[in-house]
């Protein structure tokens, strides 16, 4: 079987990559949150050795690709990856038929609070919850989670970037005035702390909720808030046309609101996507560029009840490439 003997659109929707090598493809393994159990990973290795070239590609979005698969082996590979799909709790339409869509990209997450001392929340759990909400879907959407404002997951390059925040809790009775938190906030964050009359004062307008003070306080005078907060950034992208970083939309947001906002965006895409777009996968950012941010905002905020602490940007502006001629 050659490349001309197969429906390329169907192949790609089934999460197989179109290959430059005639008669071959690559199976894309979806790993929401970037965490896979060792048994499933071993299964990936076995498939690569049996049907591929014994090689595994790690993608930029924390997925796996198994290259060198013959087109005639696609059905067999779909059956082989069924146990992986079930172990990672990926939503399916038909058992044994592989992945039902590839539009919404693998949901990415840094290790977060499961591993990192700076992580403000369990990024993997949130990413997996988001996965259950939005997949399968063929629309071109990228979602990424990072545990704190260090942004190790580079979420500002995604359509929806979720950055962990915490509201630092200060216990003056435990504070010895060593200024460790003040110094590290200045060196590693935004300089929101100062020492006044032997006690630390936090500038709430300046604080970004990164938790650096919590990590470096030797007496535990600082602790994380019980509530989890998030900074939601919107519509970053790479690509050929006007690549850009995502801009801040909401600070001190809650988990339920973010889930609702992302889910609402799919209704917006269905309403305004270009029917002539290649494979009907127009990037959501280009749709917003066409309709205007106000219309996008009207859709995504339907039914959303933000906490009183949340701060929202009423209008977002994205920078582009501008060149001067000499």
């Amino acid at each position: 079987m050659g490349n001309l003997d197969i429906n390329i659109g169907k192949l790609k929707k089934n999460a197989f990559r179109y290959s430059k090598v005639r008669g071959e493809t690559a199976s894309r393994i979806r790993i929401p949150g970037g965490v896979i159990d060792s048994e499933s990973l071993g299964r990936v290795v076995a498939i690569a050795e049996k049907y591929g070239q014994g090689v595994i590609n790690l993608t930029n979005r924390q997925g796996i690709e198994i290259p060198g698969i013959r087109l005639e082996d696609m059905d067999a590979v779909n059956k082989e990856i069924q146990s992986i799909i079930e172990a990672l709790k990926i939503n399916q339409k038909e058992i044994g038929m592989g992945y039902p869509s590839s539009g919404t990209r693998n949901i990415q997450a840094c290790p977060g609070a499961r591993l990192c001392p700076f992580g403000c929340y369990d990024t993997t759990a949130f990413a997996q919850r988001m996965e259950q909400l939005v997949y399968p879907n063929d629309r071109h959407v990228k979602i990424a989670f990072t545990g704190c404002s260090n942004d190790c997951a580079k979420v500002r390059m995604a359509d929806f970037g979720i950055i962990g925040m915490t509201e630092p809790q200060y216990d003056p009775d435990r504070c010895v005035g060593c200024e460790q938190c003040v110094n590290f906030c200045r060196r590693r964050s935004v300089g929101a702390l100062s020492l006044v009359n032997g006690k630390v004062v936090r500038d709430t307008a300046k604080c970004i909720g990164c938790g650096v003070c919590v990590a470096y306080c030797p007496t535990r005078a600082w602790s994380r808030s019980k509530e989890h907060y998030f900074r939601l950034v919107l519509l970053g992208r790479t690509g050929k046309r006007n690549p850009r970083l995502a801009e801040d939309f909401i600070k001190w947001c809650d988990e339920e609101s973010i889930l609702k906002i992302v889910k609402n965006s799919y209704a917006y895409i269905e309403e305004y996507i270009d029917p002539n777009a290649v494979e009907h996968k127009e990037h959501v950012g280009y749709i917003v560029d066409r309709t205007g941010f106000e219309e996008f905002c009207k859709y995504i905020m339907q039914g959303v009840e933000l906490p009183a602490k949340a701060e929202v940007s009423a209008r977002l502006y994205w920078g582009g490439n501008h060149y001067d001629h000499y």
Side-chain angles (χ1 to χ4, degrees), residues 26-213:
S27 175
R28 296 174 172 180
I29 305 299
R30 191 174 182 89
I31 308 174
V35 175
I36 184 171
D37 62 282
S38 57
E39 183 177 346
S40 295
L41 189 58
R43 192 71 193 139
V44 171
V45 172
I47 294 170
E49 292 176 345
K50 182 176 180 180
Y51 295 99
Q53 304 166 336
V55 173
I56 294 170
N57 295 336
L58 303 180
T59 74
N60 291 335
R61 298 201 60 81
Q62 298 180 321
I64 289 174
E65 289 188 357
I66 308 173
I69 295 172
R70 296 181 304 170
L71 292 174
E72 54 263 38
D73 288 334
M74 286 172 52
D75 290 342
V77 170
N78 275 335
K79 291 181 172 60
E80 296 270 3
I81 65 175
Q82 181 61 36
S83 62
I84 301 172
I85 291 173
E86 291 175 357
L88 299 185
K89 297 181 172 60
I90 308 294
N91 293 328
Q92 281 185 284
K93 293 180 179 178
E94 296 181 73
I95 302 299
M97 300 299 290
Y99 298 97
S101 72
S102 62
T104 296
R105 300 301 195 257
N106 189 60
I107 297 178
Q108 185 178 358
C110 77
R114 292 191 178 193
L115 177 65
C116 179
F118 297 101
C120 292
Y121 70 106
D122 188 335
T123 52
T124 302
F126 199 169
Q128 291 172 344
R129 189 179 179 198
M130 181 70 75
E131 170 80 6
Q132 292 298 309
L133 184 73
V134 302
Y135 188 82
N137 196 290
D138 276 323
R139 300 307 178 217
H140 189 155
V141 178
K142 295 178 180 177
I143 307 166
F145 294 81
T146 196
C148 72
S149 52
N150 284 336
D151 194 8
C152 296
K154 306 297 184 291
V155 305
R156 288 187 181 273
M157 298 174 71
D159 299 303
F160 296 94
I162 297 91
I163 302 171
M165 302 177 71
T166 188
E167 185 178 26
Q169 304 296 301
Y170 180 59
D171 183 354
D173 293 333
R174 297 187 69 95
C175 181
V176 295
C178 68
E179 297 189 69
Q180 182 91 326
C181 60
V182 176
N183 292 333
F184 273 95
C185 184
R186 182 179 64 252
R187 291 162 53 188
R188 300 203 58 174
S189 190
V190 296
L193 303 180
S194 59
L195 193 67
V196 179
N197 296 327
K199 298 300 178 184
V200 180
V201 175
R202 180 173 67 97
D203 185 338
T204 56
K206 198 172 185 179
C207 177
I208 60 172
C210 65
V212 163
C213 53

